[in-house]
Amino acid sequence: MKTPQGLQALIDDGVIDEVLRPLKNGKEAAVYVVRSGGEIRCAKVYKDMAQRSFQQRVQYQEGRKVRGSREARAIGKASKYGRKQQEVAWKNTEVDALYQLRAAGMRVPEPYGYFHGVLVMELVTDAEGYAAPRLGEIELSAEQAREYHRVLVRQAVLMLCSGLIHGDLSAYNVLVGPDGPIVIDFPQVVSAGGNNAARTMLLRDVNNLTAHLGRWAPELLDTWYGEEMWALFQAGELQPDTELTGEFEPDETEVDLDSIRQSINDAREEALIRQQGREAAAEE
């Protein structure tokens, strides 16, 4: 295929040898299957701000660290230089998170480097060597749904213990390899301790997955893993190996329990609507 403009510099520098085919063209980036040193990998080419459709970036950027005081001031002033630095910081976010989470033992693709604004990383495959499907694209047994839910809740715990929350986690940001689910797509990752919406985003992430997997294992819909892990995190008691129960008793004297349940139900309904929309689009 014709080499995409964003990958030509990597070929010129010998980082990759050949672009084999497109893999995904999303709202944030285009991903290509490439050959590099005899290995098949993927290259994620981030789209410029003008091309992206992702909304509410300000909410996601709250609490993120910016490299250098000059850059931070420029971003705050929204100058031309500041917008450029904001774009650089946005693209660096996933790269930094991927390395951090991989080191923490989380199930994420292995990164191989960041070159000219392009992230080169592991191509996650299925048992036959083809690109792995997304969790939202496959049928599951009840046993598989329960096991995948257990693994993914553990991934959310590992992220939270690393001070991060995915921010946009759903069945379509999870690939299923031979050994189970692998979490992908981290441009929206948020700081657990520095973002005022951190709790809301964590609950939404966990509830999105629970709503999807609850289609095959309905008993999952009666669990409260997101609330449980956030309460432990706030108390400074959450550890990577903390055993969760899925049970949670809010303090009804301080918390509007009906509002909590409604927000959870809303998140689950939203996840189902998004999934149905994707399925309808795929059929068309």
Side-chain angles (χ1 to χ4, degrees):
M1 63 170 288
K2 181 180 179 181
T3 302
Q5 184 176 359
L7 293 176
Q8 186 59 54
L10 276 70
I11 290 180
D12 294 341
D13 289 350
V15 174
I16 61 176
D17 304 317
E18 181 184 5
V19 181
L20 301 178
R21 61 182 175 86
L23 180 62
K24 173 189 172 185
N25 189 6
K27 59 191 177 186
E28 293 294 313
V31 183
Y32 298 89
V33 178
V34 301
R35 190 186 308 278
S36 175
E39 299 291 333
I40 304 300
R41 296 174 177 171
C42 64
K44 187 168 188 175
V45 182
Y46 294 94
K47 294 181 178 179
D48 292 333
M49 189 178 294
Q51 297 177 277
R52 294 201 306 258
S53 59
F54 189 75
Q55 301 298 316
Q56 298 177 314
R57 280 179 290 139
V58 173
Q59 182 184 40
Y60 285 85
Q61 290 169 342
E62 180 185 355
R64 288 184 179 177
K65 295 181 180 179
V66 178
R67 299 168 181 173
S69 57
R70 181 192 175 202
E71 288 79 3
R73 289 195 300 271
I75 290 174
K77 294 178 180 178
S79 64
K80 183 177 180 180
Y81 175 75
R83 290 193 297 272
K84 180 179 179 181
Q85 291 305 309
Q86 187 178 45
E87 183 75 4
V88 171
W90 181 263
K91 294 176 181 179
N92 284 333
T93 295
E94 178 169 34
V95 180
D96 293 343
L98 204 54
Y99 277 100
Q100 180 181 348
L101 296 173
R102 181 81 180 186
M106 191 171 166
R107 295 177 60 88
V108 299
E110 181 176 358
Y112 293 113
Y114 184 55
F115 314 90
H116 303 290
V118 177
L119 173 61
V120 179
M121 57 185 169
E122 172 190 5
L123 174 65
V124 180
T125 60
D126 61 16
E128 284 74 42
Y130 296 103
R134 301 182 192 188
L135 179 59
E137 298 170 340
I138 62 176
E139 296 290 320
L140 302 171
S141 66
E143 182 179 359
Q144 286 176 315
R146 286 190 288 268
E147 174 60 16
Y148 288 177
H149 187 267
R150 182 191 67 79
V151 171
L152 290 167
V153 165
R154 181 56 47 192
Q155 304 315 297
V157 168
L158 289 173
M159 282 197 74
L160 194 53
C161 288
S162 297
L164 299 174
I165 295 169
H166 190 286
D168 191 34
L169 189 56
S170 74
Y172 291 88
N173 286 329
V174 177
L175 300 178
V176 181
D179 299 324
I182 296 173
V183 182
I184 61 170
D185 291 344
F186 295 92
Q188 286 77 249
V189 69
V190 299
S191 166
N195 191 301
N196 288 324
R199 175 183 175 275
T200 299
M201 292 185 184
L202 174 69
L203 298 188
R204 185 178 64 195
D205 283 354
V206 176
N207 290 328
N208 280 346
L209 296 173
T210 300
H212 179 79
L213 294 169
R215 296 171 59 196
W216 292 278
E219 69 275 12
L220 295 176
L221 300 176
D222 293 323
T223 60
W224 301 79
Y225 285 102
E227 293 81 356
E228 182 184 9
M229 71 175 73
W230 181 257
L232 291 170
F233 173 73
Q234 279 197 310
E237 299 174 0
L238 186 67
Q239 300 296 326
D241 58 352
T242 298
E243 291 295 331
L244 301 180
T245 64
E247 300 176 359
F248 178 72
E249 292 293 337
D251 184 349
E252 297 185 37
T253 63
E254 298 181 1
V255 178
D256 185 343
L257 184 58
D258 290 337
S259 295
I260 291 177
R261 291 187 180 277
Q262 184 61 48
S263 66
I264 292 169
N265 289 334
D266 288 346
R268 290 173 176 169
E269 290 176 6
E270 179 184 351
L272 292 174
I273 291 171
R274 289 173 64 187
Q275 178 185 331
Q276 291 167 358
R278 288 187 175 104
E279 291 174 349
E283 290 176 359
E284 292 177 0

